[in-house]
Amino acid sequence: MKRITKTLAITCCMTFVFGNTVFANSNNKTFNYEKVLNEESVEKSFTVSGYEFTYQNAPEEVKKEYEESCKEFNIKPSPDNLIFIPDENINTYNLDGYKDSRILYDIQYDRSGKFIVSGGGKNYTVSTSVTVGYGYTTSGNPVHLAQLLCNEIANTGIQADSQFGSATYNAVKTLQGKLGLTKDGIVGKRTWEAAANRL
C-alpha cells in the first residue's frame, strides 16, 4: 500500500510539473501580452532633422559659434565633438555643400520616465531624474537632449552641441515659459515631464 501511495504521489507531482511546463510553453498569449505592454510603454516620440558635424569638419561659422560656447566653460573643443544644426537654422549658415551631413534623431519618451535618443552619432537614454543646468549637468547627452527639446517645442533654434552655455540657458527659460513653468533655466523632473507631455 505504501508503495502504491508513493507511486501515485510521484506520478501526480510529475503530471503537475510537466503539465505546467506544457501549459507555459503552449501559452503564446502571455508572450504577446508582454510584447504589447512593451510597445505601449513608449508614450511619446518625435523625429528631429538637421545637419550634424564633428568640430574638425564643421563649416567655419559653425566652428566659431561652438568655440564661443566652449569659452564659457574654459574648455578647448575636441576634434570629435558633435555639433547638430536643426533644419530651422539652415538659413543662418551656408550648408548647401553639406548634404551628406544631414541626419535624423528619433526621440522617444516612455512611461518609466526616460527619454531614448538614437540617430546620427548618438544612441543614449536620459532619465527624468537627471538635472541639467548651471550647478548641475552642463555637458553631455542630457544637455544634448535638452537642446533638442528646446528646438522642438519652443523653436529656439540653438545648436545642439551638448554644452550648457548662456544660449542653452536662455533657450531652457524660453521652453519653460512655453510650458507654463517657472523660468529658472534648470531642466529638472518637472521640466522633463512637462516637455514630454507637450510632444
Side-chain angles (χ1 to χ4, degrees):
M1 183 70 162
K2 287 183 182 180
R3 193 176 230 194
I4 294 173
T5 306
K6 195 174 187 181
T7 304
L8 282 172
I10 290 171
T11 305
C12 287
C13 287
M14 289 178 65
T15 303
F16 179 74
V17 169
F18 287 117
N20 281 344
T21 303
V22 171
F23 178 75
N25 287 339
S26 64
N27 184 359
N28 291 330
K29 289 181 182 176
T30 302
F31 175 76
N32 291 338
Y33 180 68
E34 287 171 359
K35 189 173 179 185
V36 169
L37 280 182
N38 289 338
E39 288 171 3
E40 287 178 354
S41 70
V42 175
E43 191 169 89
K44 308 273 184 163
S45 66
F46 67 98
T47 301
V48 176
S49 58
Y51 293 78
E52 186 172 79
F53 305 96
T54 59
Y55 170 72
Q56 67 184 354
N57 295 326
E60 278 306 310
E61 52 200 328
V62 173
K63 274 187 184 179
K64 286 179 185 173
E65 194 172 320
Y66 182 66
E67 288 165 359
E68 288 299 314
S69 177
C70 289
K71 280 182 189 174
E72 290 185 50
F73 295 98
N74 200 25
I75 59 174
K76 186 177 179 184
S78 170
D80 295 329
N81 287 1
L82 293 177
I83 306 166
F84 179 74
I85 309 296
D87 280 344
E88 301 81 52
N89 288 20
I90 291 173
N91 295 335
T92 309
Y93 307 99
N94 182 15
L95 301 179
D96 291 337
Y98 295 92
K99 299 294 183 193
D100 291 343
S101 299
R102 187 165 171 72
I103 63 140
L104 298 174
Y105 279 112
D106 181 51
I107 296 99
Q108 297 178 348
Y109 177 75
D110 72 20
R111 294 178 198 273
S112 68
K114 30 178 213 207
F115 289 89
I116 302 153
V117 180
S118 59
K122 293 189 176 279
N123 187 6
Y124 62 85
T125 301
V126 175
S127 169
T128 56
S129 63
V130 174
T131 303
V132 169
Y134 290 127
Y136 299 95
T137 302
T138 55
S139 65
N141 292 332
V143 177
H144 183 261
L145 174 60
Q147 291 168 329
L148 292 178
L149 291 172
C150 286
N151 287 337
E152 176 68 16
I153 298 169
N155 299 314
T156 57
I158 59 169
Q159 280 186 5
D161 59 8
S162 305
Q163 300 291 334
F164 192 93
S166 58
T168 303
Y169 173 75
N170 290 327
V172 168
K173 291 201 320 187
T174 301
L175 170 67
Q176 290 171 324
K178 187 127 184 166
L179 296 173
L181 302 173
T182 302
K183 297 193 271 186
D184 60 7
I186 296 170
V187 183
K189 192 173 181 74
R190 289 188 67 209
T191 302
W192 289 124
E193 289 177 349
N197 288 334
R198 186 62 67 93
L199 295 177

